[in-house]
Amino acid sequence: GAGVSQSPSNKVTEKGKDVELRCDPISGHTALYWYRQSLGQGLEFLIYFQGNSAPDKSGLPSDRFSAERTGGSVSTLTIQRTQQEDSAVYLCASSSLAGISYEQYFGPGTRLTVT
Amino acid sequence: AQSVTQLGSHVSVSEGALVLLRCNYSSSVPPYLFWYVQYPNQGLQLLLKYTSAATLVKGINGFEAEFKKSETSFHLTKPSAHMSDAAEYFCAVTNAGGTSYGKLTFGQGTILTVHP
């Protein structure tokens, strides 16, 4: 079946612009995670959604970052007023249920470059 | 709090040689540990996981890892490297308690190069 998909695969934006990154999880997966992969910080957790529960936003680096998940499926990560330090690969993962027993399936990522 | 340290950002081996990628963890509660592989321009793929069952865990592509609590280690090994093993490998930790929800804390990654 289809895996996790992310769009766009690459995004180049100017400093100060807003960007939206999209994640389509595997159908039926209730848990969705966003991670960021950058040269300086490695792989970092950003935010987690599970069903209709309030999201865990504890990894978001600043209030310029926000995410939503509509209808328990597609998720959008929005970065406002982008800065050069936001340049990174943004990875999305989904799993059938939250918790360590359920493997997280990762998408190919969106490479964001802020110029 | 939990953390992962991967010793060696780059490891180079010859085809057919033993692969050993080192991972040490720190966790205040019993950990669950994972190894992921990332091929260029792709997402992460789970190789294997330790979730408090057997300490020797076998994964895909001939890889295995052994959980050693006394050494706080979870090193990844493969007896004989193949060219197709060239990739970046990440060790990650989480735990089942509190509000972890399975969110992963990753090491810095180790790039494995395999020479013919």
Side-chain angles (χ1 to χ4, degrees), chain B:
Chain B
Q2 52 197 20
S3 65
V4 172
T5 301
Q6 291 182 238
L7 301 177
S9 58
H10 290 79
V11 170
S12 180
V13 300
S14 298
E15 192 174 19
L18 171 71
V19 175
L20 171 60
L21 305 182
R22 299 178 186 274
C23 171
N24 288 87
Y25 69 90
S26 173
S27 178
S28 56
V29 297
Y32 297 108
L33 295 155
F34 305 80
W35 276 100
Y36 282 86
V37 61
Q38 186 177 34
Y39 298 100
N41 300 314
Q42 295 187 27
L44 300 172
Q45 180 183 8
L46 181 68
L47 277 177
L48 49 79
K49 61 183 179 183
Y50 165 78
T51 56
S52 77
T55 57
L56 181 62
V57 180
K58 294 186 184 299
I60 62 172
N61 302 337
F63 284 94
E64 63 181 37
E66 185 172 9
F67 172 71
K68 292 187 177 180
K69 183 178 179 181
S70 61
E71 299 177 8
T72 61
S73 69
F74 190 58
H75 301 332
L76 181 70
T77 60
K78 182 175 180 178
S80 177
H82 192 274
M83 298 295 289
S84 62
D85 295 327
E88 188 164 16
Y89 292 78
F90 293 92
C91 183
V93 64
T94 188
N95 63 70
T99 58
S100 294
Y101 304 121
K103 60 186 180 185
L104 299 168
T105 299
F106 288 91
Q108 291 297 312
T110 298
I111 296 173
L112 175 66
T113 302
V114 182
H115 296 288

Side-chain angles (χ1 to χ4, degrees), chain A residues 7-28:
Chain A
S7 60
S9 55
N10 282 282
K11 176 72 176 179
V12 180
T13 189
E14 293 180 352
K15 177 181 175 181
K17 300 283 189 182
D18 297 352
V19 295
E20 287 188 350
L21 313 180
R22 177 186 169 106
C23 171
D24 283 88
I26 292 172
S27 178

Side-chain angles (χ1 to χ4, degrees), chain A residues 48-97:
Chain A
Y48 153 82
F49 296 89
Q50 169 55 39
N52 295 321
S53 302
D56 178 350
K57 305 178 181 180
S58 60
L60 294 179
S62 78
D63 58 8
R64 297 185 295 104
F65 287 72
S66 63
E68 63 178 18
R69 190 177 183 191
T70 53
S73 181
V74 172
S75 177
T76 302
L77 178 69
T78 300
I79 309 173
Q80 296 178 311
R81 305 181 303 282
T82 52
Q83 304 294 311
Q84 287 186 332
E85 61 262 29
D86 300 333
S87 295
V89 176
Y90 290 82
L91 294 168
C92 175
S94 70
S95 67
S96 58
L97 280 174

